[in-house]
Amino acid sequence: QVQLVESGGGLVQPGGSLRLSCAARGRIFSDSGWVWYRQAPGKERELVAVFPNGRSANNADSVKGRFAISRDNSKNIVYLQMSSLKPDDTAVYYCNTYPNRVSWGQGTQVTVSS
C-alpha cells in the first residue's frame, strides 16, 4: 500500500508563506490526481485544493488566489504553496490521492500567528 508523508508545516506570521510537500512512498497510479485537506480545531475536515490529473486545479473559496497545488513530474510528490496566510489557515494539513483515496498520513501542522 501507499504511505503518505506530509512535511513543510510550521509557525508563520500572518501574511507569510509556506510550501507544503507530500511524498508518496510506494506505487501510485500515474493517472491519479491529488487533493489537500485541512482540519482546524472545532471544524470539520475541509477540502482545500484538488488537482485532478490532466485537469486544472480547483481551490476552495477560502483559499482561492492564495494557495496553489502542484505536482512533481515524478508523480510521487504533490505541493501546496501557501501565500498571504491568515490565522484562520491554522490547521493540520493532509494530502491524498484523488478521486480514490489511500490511507491518510500524519498531516503537517500549520500555525499562523503573530
Side-chain angles (χ1 to χ4, degrees):
Q1 263 285 330
V2 176
Q3 181 183 9
L4 301 175
V5 182
E6 298 94 342
S7 62
L11 176 64
V12 65
Q13 287 71 43
S17 299
L18 283 174
R19 189 193 195 196
L20 307 183
S21 300
C22 174
R25 312 298 190 189
R27 290 180 177 269
I28 61 171
F29 290 107
S30 60
D31 60 353
S32 292
W34 287 95
V35 63
W36 282 94
Y37 289 83
R38 68 185 181 187
Q39 188 165 29
K43 297 183 178 180
E44 309 88 351
R45 183 180 295 180
E46 66 172 347
L47 180 69
V48 175
V50 60
F51 195 176
N53 192 54
R55 297 168 55 191
S56 298
N58 188 30
N59 294 343
D61 289 342
S62 60
V63 306
K64 197 178 297 291
R66 301 187 298 116
F67 289 11
I69 186 172
S70 61
R71 184 174 185 168
D72 187 90
N73 287 338
S74 71
K75 307 293 187 180
N76 290 318
I77 302 175
V78 66
Y79 303 98
L80 186 67
Q81 179 67 53
M82 307 186 298
S83 300
S84 301
L85 283 162
K86 306 174 180 179
D88 285 349
D89 295 321
T90 296
V92 179
Y93 285 73
Y94 302 88
C95 67
N96 218 306
T97 51
Y98 176 88
N100 300 310
R101 291 193 295 264
V102 298
S103 297
W104 295 101
Q106 297 297 310
T108 185
Q109 175 72 50
V110 173
T111 302
V112 184
S113 175
S114 298

